[in-house]
Amino acid sequence: MTAPTLWRDLRRHTAARVGLGRVGNGLPTAAHLDFQEAHAWARDAVWSTLDVPALAAALGATVVASAAPDRRGYLLRPDLGRSLASGEAAKLAPMPGCFALVVADGLCATGVQAQAPALVPALQAGLHRAGWQVAPPVIATQARVAIGDAIGAALGAAMVAVLIGERPGLSAMDSLGIYLTAAPRPGRSDAERNCISNIRPGGLPVADAVAKLLWLVQAARALGQTGVALKDEQPALPLLPADQPGGR
Amino acid sequence: MGFSATVGGTRHGFDDLRQLLACATPFRSGDALAGVAAESAAQRVAAQRALADLPLRHFLSESVVPYEADEVTRLIVDSHEPAAFAPIAHLTVGGFRDWLLAAEPADVTALAPGLTPEMVAALSKICRLQDLVSIAAKCRVVTRFRNTLGLPGTLSIRLQPNDPVDDPRGIAAQVLDGLLLGAGDAVIGVNPATDNVDNLCRVLGLLDAVRDRYAIPTQTCVLAHVTTTMLAMQRGAPVDLVFQSIGGTQGVNESFGVSLSLLAEAHAAALALGRGTLGDNCLYFETGQGSALSAGAHHGVDQQTLEARAYAVARRFRPLLVNSVVGFIGPEYLYDGKQITRAGLEDHLCGKLLGLPMGVDVCYTNHAEADQDDMDSLLTLLGVAGVTYVMGVPGADDTMLAYQSTSFHDGLYVRAALGKRPAPEFEAWLARMGLADRTPEALPMAVAGLL
């Protein structure tokens, strides 16, 4: 390397807001307003909603609602987002010992809408290969992670994976997480789950997320539980090509 | 036994200490969610009056979570030091506030082993923001590993180079950016994208290589679960600080997959490595109001009192760093900028009074009613309060955790605005590297090779 590395060149290596420059001790105006714009987009994303009929048709899914009455109620009352609304459990046909897949809007519907149509069939295929009986997917609206416990219990599932929209950040408003819980039933704690996060085009790709979940499912079946006792000792995945454009 | 106070001709009664503390708490959404908040402004001020009249000694005889049922309560009761408590043993909570506002820093600092979390939580409930600031500014807490944190006139920064997939180049670029802007004296600490032992060892190796190559007088940390870090230590990975999230009841700690005995085991393992050169403070804890309710382990206690109890867990292990991640948990616990601001200052004061090297992650999520203006005011208030450290994230945008914290630029701002300096060893290193006064447009050749 002969030319000096410039501060702004750091942006070649990361989507983080590096190399922004400096005016006194503050941010240059353009960088400051870039941030304000990103925050405005993220604020709007929190209030985005799933196109439930389209997603249900694509996945062949059953649709249930949480007990949260609306978005504001969902934000202020997480307990409601963890429970099924009255009567919803009756929509779920029990399938004892099955693997349950739940698709939930969570804190941002955008990434769920975009990625669930690829993720769900890939997981179904892998779980079938591993010998699981997989229940028809369940879409849950205004839902938190723990709604999978109520759904899994209603189905009599041996294990549940909840695919859920993650809280939108400034740089990623399309991110999904997957939470795996063995023997789901209301009252499970977060220490009894394993999580794969940041599934999105610029983060963990769908194929890697599927491979990791299938590894965790197999390890959980061997161990007889999920949670902190189940260590993710899957050999490290090959790294993504990192030269993503850093500019925004 | 019950408590009562009369406000405006109406007598308000409170069944026990737990209810009195909850009703005296300035309003926040998490206490409403738990169903423990005061039902009216009048009931709240009545509780504050009754609390102000309560002798501090009472806290030694009534626990908010039963002793038999909770190891955190047992730790609090069993580790109380009467000699340190003696100077204030005759005071009420209100009298304690008055005493603190008039006291000298050395006298305030000496109290720590004699104070319980519930005492300092009670105090904070009858404090305005300016009281939270001015009392905290009297507390002196100094810790050491490879540098000296918490000296008067200093304000340190945790360099937080999180990457969505723990890509080494992404982490390295952010480390460089932070160093160019004077951040990293508290710790260079990565939240890993996955809690995988191989991955943890890889990121630990990267951070240690950078620190070692440039002889940076600081410490590194990957904020994995304590059990994963213990596995990494068994594999010989370069672990400076052991990290863990903790809370204020045995139940919330169980939800985090930890106990006091597990933390003690990890502490012993880290001490045995002996990697600190100036001192052996080798733990790093994060906390935050609302975690116990989130885990269903709150026992009907308000979230701020439980947060203070988490500090009793922390101080047992003489940590290098502790911070509340105040705005991370979301609007169901702290709804907006006003609630986040007050909670951040409460957490800082309570941690400092209990003798902790208290930092604050001045932050918010995109589903909270908060923005950069709120963060600027909280950061400035905390700077005046003498906060030990804050976070430094490129452009305030954590692309892995998807929330906004303080930026490297914010660190420069608050140091300049308040005349604060980095930890002395780190400040000298910045000067040696030519980074102390300005950020060069071209990277110094010494560090450009990192990428």
Side-chain angles (χ1 to χ4, degrees):
Chain A
M1 182 180 345
T2 51
T5 304
L6 301 181
W7 188 16
R8 62 176 175 272
D9 293 343
L10 291 178
R11 307 192 82 177
R12 283 208 305 265
H13 304 281
T14 175
R17 293 170 194 262
V18 297
L20 297 180
R22 174 175 170 181
V23 284
N25 293 314
L27 278 180
T29 301
H32 157 59
L33 291 177
D34 286 349
F35 181 102
Q36 297 297 96
E37 179 181 331
H39 184 235
W41 283 110
R43 291 287 293 154
D44 289 345
V46 169
W47 296 82
S48 64
T49 52
L50 276 182
D51 180 349
V52 173
L55 195 59
L59 302 179
T62 309
V63 180
V64 296
S66 82
D70 53 26
R71 201 60 174 163
R72 184 183 157 83
Y74 172 82
L75 290 174
L76 281 170
R77 291 286 305 274
D79 52 324
L80 299 181
R82 296 182 190 123
S83 315
L84 288 168
S86 172
E88 294 293 271
K91 294 180 181 174
L92 303 169
M95 191 185 282
C98 72
F99 194 102
L101 283 172
V102 176
V103 178
D105 47 6
L107 282 166
C108 177
T110 318
V112 179
Q113 195 85 42
Q115 297 189 85
L119 255 173
V120 170
L123 287 174
Q124 285 170 321
L127 290 165
H128 281 134
R129 276 197 305 277
W132 283 96
Q133 187 187 21
V134 185
V138 178
I139 295 174
T141 58
Q142 305 290 16
R144 304 259 174 186
V145 169
I147 204 165
D149 298 343
I151 293 170
L155 290 169
M159 226 177 271
V160 62
V162 179
L163 287 60
I164 191 163
E166 295 185 327
R167 196 182 57 238
L170 298 195
S171 302
M173 292 162 212
D174 53 357
S175 198
L176 271 188
I178 304 181
Y179 290 78
L180 180 68
T181 310
R185 53 178 159 71
R188 285 281 179 215
S189 86
D190 289 342
E192 296 175 294
R193 313 184 197 285
N194 293 89
C195 171
I196 303 170
S197 64
N198 202 41
I199 305 164
R200 62 185 176 91
L204 188 67
V206 164
D208 291 355
V210 169
K212 185 165 283 294
L213 186 75
L214 293 174
W215 188 93
L216 286 171
V217 168
Q218 189 182 21
R221 186 149 64 171
L223 189 66
Q225 59 179 315
T226 48
V228 293
L230 168 55
K231 284 293 162 207
D232 176 6
E233 288 172 318
Q234 185 192 21
L237 295 165
L239 285 168
L240 291 177
D243 289 324
Q244 308 144 359
R248 66 190 71 237
Chain B
M1 100 169 242
F3 309 92
S4 68
T6 300
V7 171
T10 302
R11 183 179 172 282
H12 296 267
F14 306 95
D15 293 340
D16 54 19
L17 182 59
R18 191 176 59 162
Q19 192 196 10
L20 181 65
L21 287 165
C23 289
T25 307
F27 180 78
R28 62 207 63 198
S29 51
D31 287 343
L33 179 63
V36 302
E39 287 166 1
S40 66
Q43 189 194 21
R44 178 171 295 109
V45 79
Q48 290 172 340
R49 284 193 179 280
L51 189 59
D53 289 342
L54 187 67
L56 288 174
R57 280 188 187 284
H58 183 84
F59 291 86
L60 301 178
S61 62
E62 184 178 357
S63 295
V64 294
V65 179
Y67 182 93
E68 298 73 21
D70 188 278
E71 66 174 4
V72 178
T73 300
R74 292 196 288 276
L75 173 66
I76 292 165
V77 172
D78 297 348
S79 63
H80 181 256
E81 292 188 16
F85 179 63
I88 53 164
H90 60 292
L91 295 174
T92 60
V93 174
F96 183 38
R97 175 182 170 278
D98 297 342
W99 186 95
L100 286 166
L101 287 168
E104 292 301 317
D107 297 326
V108 176
T109 300
L111 293 178
L115 297 175
T116 69
E118 290 84 355
M119 288 178 196
V120 298
L123 162 79
S124 75
K125 294 175 194 302
I126 59 165
C127 283
R128 288 170 52 192
L129 295 192
Q130 66 169 257
D131 306 333
L132 299 174
V133 168
S134 61
I135 297 170
K138 300 181 185 201
C139 299
R140 300 277 178 267
V141 183
V142 176
T143 56
R144 293 181 178 86
F145 191 78
R146 280 197 201 91
N147 58 20
T148 310
L149 301 175
L151 292 173
T154 65
L155 190 156
S156 296
I157 312 286
R158 166 185 163 193
L159 203 170
Q160 183 172 306
N162 293 342
D163 184 273
V165 294
D166 295 332
D167 174 0
R169 278 172 293 183
I171 292 171
Q174 295 181 74
V175 170
L176 266 183
D177 197 62
L179 294 173
L180 290 171
L181 291 165
D185 51 340
V187 62
I188 301 176
V190 173
N191 296 87
T194 58
D195 207 88
N196 170 303
V197 189
D198 282 344
N199 182 56
L200 173 59
C201 292
R202 191 169 57 83
V203 180
L204 282 167
L206 164 74
L207 296 179
D208 192 58
V210 173
R211 182 198 58 75
D212 185 60
R213 179 165 168 184
Y214 302 110
I216 310 172
T218 190
Q219 34 284 330
T220 63
C221 185
V222 181
L223 287 72
H225 191 267
V226 62
T227 54
T228 313
T229 301
M230 289 166 79
L231 287 176
M233 284 193 278
Q234 284 165 21
R235 291 193 189 182
V239 173
D240 287 348
L241 306 183
V242 171
F243 169 83
Q244 183 55 46
S245 294
I246 55 170
T249 67
Q250 181 175 330
V252 64
N253 286 325
E254 283 167 0
S255 87
F256 289 140
V258 299
S259 63
L260 295 176
S261 60
L262 180 67
L263 293 173
E265 195 183 331
H267 187 206
L271 282 172
L273 295 181
R275 292 175 58 84
T277 51
L278 296 187
D280 68 351
N281 302 111
C282 57
L283 288 188
Y284 175 9
F285 293 116
E286 282 192 340
T287 65
Q289 293 189 23
S291 62
L293 175 58
S294 175
H298 61 98
H299 297 269
V301 181
D302 71 272
Q303 66 185 32
Q304 190 263 330
T305 299
L306 291 174
E307 170 71 5
R309 285 169 53 97
Y311 306 151
V313 175
R315 72 173 168 179
R316 162 77 182 73
F317 300 102
R318 301 186 297 109
L320 183 77
L321 303 165
V322 181
N323 64 262
S324 161
V325 194
V326 65
F328 188 75
I329 192 159
E332 65 270 35
Y333 301 96
L334 294 168
Y335 185 69
D336 56 15
K338 180 179 173 70
Q339 293 182 14
I340 292 170
T341 298
R342 182 171 171 95
L345 292 166
E346 288 166 347
D347 294 351
H348 176 252
L349 172 65
C350 290
K352 281 281 171 72
L353 279 172
L354 292 172
L356 291 175
M358 202 68 196
V360 177
D361 190 343
V362 176
C363 65
Y364 63 108
T365 60
N366 287 318
H367 60 318
E369 293 292 328
D371 60 22
Q372 293 298 93
D373 290 345
D374 297 305
M375 298 303 106
D376 288 344
S377 65
L378 177 54
L379 173 63
T380 307
L381 287 163
L382 282 166
V384 178
V387 70
T388 303
Y389 66 101
V390 295
M391 307 296 139
V393 175
D397 171 12
D398 187 312
T399 59
M400 199 279 281
L401 292 173
Y403 79 123
Q404 287 85 252
S405 183
T406 41
S407 67
F408 302 137
H409 294 79
D410 292 334
L412 293 176
Y413 148 75
V414 72
R415 281 175 177 162
L418 301 175
K420 302 278 187 176
R421 308 159 73 104
E425 301 85 355
F426 190 84
E427 185 176 39
W429 179 85
L430 288 172
R432 282 203 301 281
M433 299 296 282
L435 302 175
D437 304 318
R438 64 187 187 89
T439 305
E441 188 44 40
L443 303 192
M445 284 311 291
V447 296
L450 177 58
L451 292 159

